[in-house]
Amino acid sequence: MTSRIENPFSIRFVLPEQSAMYLQMKEDEKLVSMPVIEQDELESFHYLIRDSAREDYAITVSWWKPIKGELGSICSIWGVVKWIDQNGRRIKLVNDEDSQWIDLDKITDVKG
């Protein structure tokens, strides 16, 4: 392995703007588009959500969170469904540390 002294071209000076742009570009590479969910999967998700609200047991819900236009990231949280808002098409998931409102149209996975 060559040291930096032996290879002077390995030393690079990077401006803060360049560093920030590079980090932003790396973050953008992690973004994904909204996954397409089949009807049978949606019915299974809705069944688990209703059952969690009725029987008061914890589930893990993953949802797509938009960040840049049509691209976003997948977030996940576990908890018990405490409220189903039919008009707003969202659920309230509560655990020991946090509570989160999640849009039903953005849910990508539910595990019991």
Side-chain angles (χ1 to χ4, degrees), residues 60-77:
T60 302
V61 177
S62 300
W63 72 96
W64 182 78
K65 180 179 176 184
I67 295 178
K68 279 189 169 182
E70 297 295 319
L71 297 176
S73 64
I74 303 292
C75 303
S76 184
I77 189 172

Side-chain angles (χ1 to χ4, degrees), residues 4-102:
R4 290 186 178 191
I5 295 173
E6 294 173 10
N7 187 359
F9 298 110
S10 68
I11 300 173
R12 297 176 81 194
F13 295 101
V14 179
L15 295 173
E17 296 84 15
Q18 291 172 321
S19 175
M21 188 178 356
Y22 177 75
L23 291 174
Q24 182 63 43
M25 191 173 70
K26 285 296 181 185
E27 285 296 317
D28 289 348
E29 289 176 1
K30 296 177 187 175
L31 300 179
V32 296
S33 60
M34 173 79 176
V36 177
I37 308 298
E38 299 295 326
Q39 186 64 30
D40 59 336
E41 288 178 303
L42 281 175
E43 291 171 3
S44 171
F45 296 166
H46 292 168
Y47 176 79
L48 285 170
I49 290 168
R50 280 192 309 268
D51 203 36
S52 171
R54 195 174 329 138
E55 301 294 328
D56 201 39
Y57 69 87
I59 58 174
T60 302
V61 177
S62 300
W63 72 96
W64 182 78
K65 180 179 176 184
I67 295 178
K68 279 189 169 182
E70 297 295 319
L71 297 176
S73 64
I74 303 292
C75 303
S76 184
I77 189 172
W78 68 272
V80 177
V81 177
K82 292 295 183 181
W83 188 264
I84 300 174
D85 182 6
Q86 294 289 338
N87 296 331
R89 296 199 42 79
R90 60 187 185 155
I91 61 171
K92 184 174 187 177
L93 205 65
V94 178
N95 63 21
D96 296 336
E97 299 95 25
D98 196 15
S99 67
Q100 179 80 34
W101 283 100
I102 302 169

